[in-house]
Amino acid sequence: MKKIMITGAYGQVGFCLTQQAQANGWDVLAIDRDKLDITAPQAVRALVNEFQPNVIINAAAHTAVDKAETEIDVSYAINRDGPKYLAEAAASIDAAILHISTDYVFAGDKNGIYSEADPIAPQGVYGASKLAGEEAVIAANPKHIILRTAWVFGEHGNNFVKTMLRLGSQRDQLGIVADQFGGPTYAGDIAAALLLIAEKAVTAPQTVSWGVYHFAGEPHVNWHQFAQAIFDKAVEQQLLVKSPQLNALTTADYPTPAKRPANSRLDCRKIFTEFGIQPSDWHKALENITAYAPQ
């Protein structure tokens, strides 16, 4: 049986990965930090040797972008060292490693969309630590896929969609940043993309073009536009009586400890060419808006 080890199993993507992998017939070891500290190399090696996965998917990360500016050691331990140990352990048993990364590895000041070949220039600790993780995985295991994504949302965990629905039920007006652009990406679609690649890594490894890929949502929008789409769908499905008034803010109007990319638009043509994977359709993912409603 195909065996897959999923880290960060309680997170947005990890939760979807676990559900989909089990449904698709994988023998799944789904773990989170309560079962494995990925920053402890001996523990990582021991668990990998015991389970003997064909593929490891690392969905664990320190994603608190603002906290990362002060929690530097923690960020690098989880975002660089953990992926390194997982990649090394995978390599030791000839397993593949699939690792989730981020648009934050770029400066975010490009006019067009970012391809995998564009210069990397993270603007904060989170992006720098995630880039270090990419580099560590690449160095540790030739059978690697780095999947950069952005603006992740899903039914499980905390995200922008859930925050908007909660605030929309409490307030008549909201200020939303309108000068940062990207592609909202459904966690379930990220999971599906990773599992398709994992399947190929097991059944036809010689045909896999290992390396860095982008996977994100289309069409590209700003946060203000994304919020309006969320509220339009919530009103349409009678989750909200009416949409709050949305006021457009600039990044300067809403200062944060960590700098946000003005441009998070990722070019997803490479992953389509190599694996036939289409960009995430975030409009479709919002169709059942009640699934994101606060409980």
Side-chain angles (χ1 to χ4, degrees), residues 34-46:
D34 61 342
K35 294 182 181 176
L36 176 68
D37 178 1
I38 65 169
T39 69
Q42 291 178 324
V44 170
R45 181 66 64 96

Side-chain angles (χ1 to χ4, degrees), residues 17-294:
L17 275 168
T18 302
Q19 287 189 318
Q20 292 183 26
Q22 290 170 338
N24 291 341
W26 289 85
D27 182 2
V28 181
L29 175 62
I31 52 176
D32 212 272
R33 55 190 169 193
D34 61 342
K35 294 182 181 176
L36 176 68
D37 178 1
I38 65 169
T39 69
Q42 291 178 324
V44 170
R45 181 66 64 96
L47 188 58
V48 170
N49 285 340
E50 178 187 350
F51 184 62
Q52 292 284 311
N54 303 107
V55 181
I56 296 175
I57 301 184
N58 180 37
H62 186 258
T63 57
V65 176
D66 290 324
K67 285 185 178 180
E69 292 300 307
T70 52
E71 297 179 352
I72 298 172
D73 291 345
V74 173
S75 297
Y76 275 90
I78 298 173
N79 293 341
R80 176 194 62 197
D81 301 342
K84 175 178 183 284
Y85 302 144
L86 289 165
E88 288 175 342
S92 73
I93 60 168
D94 196 33
I97 176 100
L98 279 53
H99 173 67
I100 301 172
S101 193
T102 174
D103 58 296
Y104 275 73
V105 300
F106 296 114
D109 57 2
K110 183 181 177 180
N111 288 329
I113 57 178
Y114 278 100
S115 78
E116 292 84 350
D118 277 321
I120 41 185
Q123 300 295 294
V125 172
Y126 171 66
S129 65
K130 289 295 288 182
L131 175 58
E134 289 187 9
E135 294 168 343
V137 168
I138 290 167
N141 191 334
K143 293 169 67 172
H144 64 264
I145 296 289
I146 310 292
L147 194 76
R148 293 178 184 148
T149 190
W151 293 24
V152 180
F153 71 96
E155 298 91 343
H156 181 82
N158 298 316
N159 55 66
F160 184 78
V161 176
K162 289 189 173 185
T163 299
M164 288 301 100
L165 292 176
R166 176 173 53 81
L167 293 177
S169 68
Q170 299 169 350
R171 304 182 189 175
D172 294 326
Q173 292 190 46
L174 292 172
I176 309 293
V177 172
D179 60 356
Q180 296 171 16
F181 291 82
T185 314
Y186 177 51
D189 290 339
I190 300 172
L194 286 166
L195 289 172
L196 188 151
I197 295 170
E199 180 78 28
K200 193 170 184 181
V202 173
T203 58
Q206 70 282 359
T207 68
V208 176
S209 295
W210 307 103
V212 179
Y213 290 86
H214 289 172
F215 178 76
E218 292 182 2
H220 297 134
V221 287
N222 60 41
W223 289 111
H224 184 276
Q225 292 168 326
F226 186 31
Q228 190 62 67
I230 292 165
F231 289 125
D232 288 347
K233 186 58 65 176
V235 172
E236 177 189 311
Q237 296 193 6
Q238 300 182 330
L239 188 60
L240 293 176
V241 175
K242 64 182 180 67
S243 171
Q245 178 181 321
L246 298 185
N247 302 314
L249 301 179
T250 66
T251 299
D253 293 329
Y254 191 72
T256 55
K259 182 180 180 183
R260 264 60 175 176
N263 177 15
S264 292
R265 292 173 291 186
L266 300 179
D267 186 340
C268 299
R269 285 178 293 185
K270 181 182 174 185
I271 198 169
F272 176 74
T273 300
E274 293 293 341
F275 297 103
I277 295 172
Q278 298 275 8
S280 176
D281 183 346
W282 61 265
H283 277 295
K284 181 180 178 182
L286 289 179
E287 279 300 321
N288 182 21
I289 196 75
T290 56
Y292 308 90

